[in-house]
Amino acid sequence: MTTAKRDIYNLPNFVSFIRILMAPVLFYFAFTQRPVWFLAALLFSGFTDVLDGFLARTLNQITDMGSRLDSWGDFTIYTTMAICAWILWPDIVLQELTAYIVIVISIISPVIVGLIKFKTITSYHTWTVKIAVVVTFIGYILLFGGWLDWPFRVAAVFSAIAALEEIAITLLIHQEHVDVRTVWAALKYNREDNKRR
């Protein structure tokens, strides 16, 4: 098998692809009004998000393709979560509308900026995004599971900070890079690109 094929056909990418395929499953449970099954499927999806990164590092199969597939999976699932929340729990969404809107804008705006500048979904995997994803996922489960509401509001703050950093990275770098962990790394790429010009 060629290197290019190995970059595509490996276990971490398969797990990421499973996460993307969970979107129609989540929609099915939402449209059929099965909140318990929806949350269970969502937890499984979250597990695959952790698993693909773990496998990529453990098996030494970290690739640009894998990073992009992981980002596509994240965007697919978090967009699905936002839409399905409206379908399953419209009253709760209305109660937490400000936090909900902030989180949705935080998911969409870096993608739009990346598409405008680079014509692709960016795949930075910043530390702030990793933290925001964990906090948002927990806040979502706690809110719509009927346990606590305030973690969802905290998640909105983390999501906004993470989105602003991703947008800043996109605006700073001259060409698209994968796995830009911080805005400081973006500044380094900026300096390097300026030297080559």
Side-chain angles (χ1 to χ4, degrees):
M1 188 180 289
T2 64
T3 302
K5 284 187 176 180
R6 278 198 302 271
D7 285 352
I8 298 171
Y9 301 109
N10 60 41
L11 187 56
N13 289 359
F14 177 70
V15 173
S16 293
F17 189 63
I18 288 174
R19 186 159 75 261
I20 294 172
L21 292 178
M22 287 302 295
V25 175
L26 291 167
F27 273 115
Y28 170 77
F29 288 136
F31 282 120
T32 56
Q33 293 296 304
R34 300 183 186 183
V36 174
W37 281 101
F38 173 85
L39 290 174
L42 186 60
L43 286 170
F44 174 76
S45 173
F47 170 72
T48 64
D49 193 14
V50 174
L51 183 62
D52 62 2
F54 172 78
L55 289 172
R57 291 186 296 273
T58 302
L59 300 175
N60 195 27
Q61 293 180 340
I62 298 172
T63 64
D64 282 0
M65 179 62 195
S67 292
R68 293 182 193 283
L69 193 59
D70 183 45
S71 293
W72 296 338
D74 289 345
F75 181 72
T76 300
I77 291 300
Y78 283 97
T79 304
T80 300
M81 287 168 62
I83 296 169
C84 288
W86 268 110
I87 298 169
L88 283 167
W89 303 283
D91 292 343
I92 298 176
V93 171
L94 288 172
Q95 289 170 13
E96 300 296 334
L97 192 57
T98 301
Y100 176 88
I101 290 172
V102 169
I103 291 172
V104 169
I105 291 172
S106 298
I107 293 168
I108 295 172
S109 55
V111 174
I112 292 172
V113 174
L115 286 171
I116 291 170
K117 185 167 184 179
F118 298 123
K119 308 297 187 290
T120 187
I121 295 177
T122 55
S123 184
Y124 301 139
H125 296 106
T126 63
W127 296 114
T128 54
V129 165
K130 288 178 183 292
I131 294 167
V133 164
V134 172
V135 175
T136 302
F137 198 85
I138 292 170
Y140 187 99
I141 296 292
L142 291 175
L143 176 64
F144 296 112
W147 292 290
L148 289 171
D149 53 10
W150 63 264
F152 191 74
R153 296 169 204 149
V154 172
V157 175
F158 278 91
S159 296
I161 293 169
L164 287 171
E165 183 177 40
E166 282 204 301
I167 290 168
I169 289 170
T170 299
L171 296 176
L172 281 168
I173 58 181
H174 299 296
Q175 58 185 3
E176 194 221 356
H177 295 277
V178 173
D179 294 334
V180 183
R181 303 295 186 188
T182 66
V183 72
W184 310 116
L187 287 167
K188 181 182 176 184
Y189 282 126
N190 183 286
R191 288 193 297 270
E192 291 172 354
D193 289 341
N194 286 335
K195 286 178 182 177
R196 284 194 288 266
R197 290 186 166 194

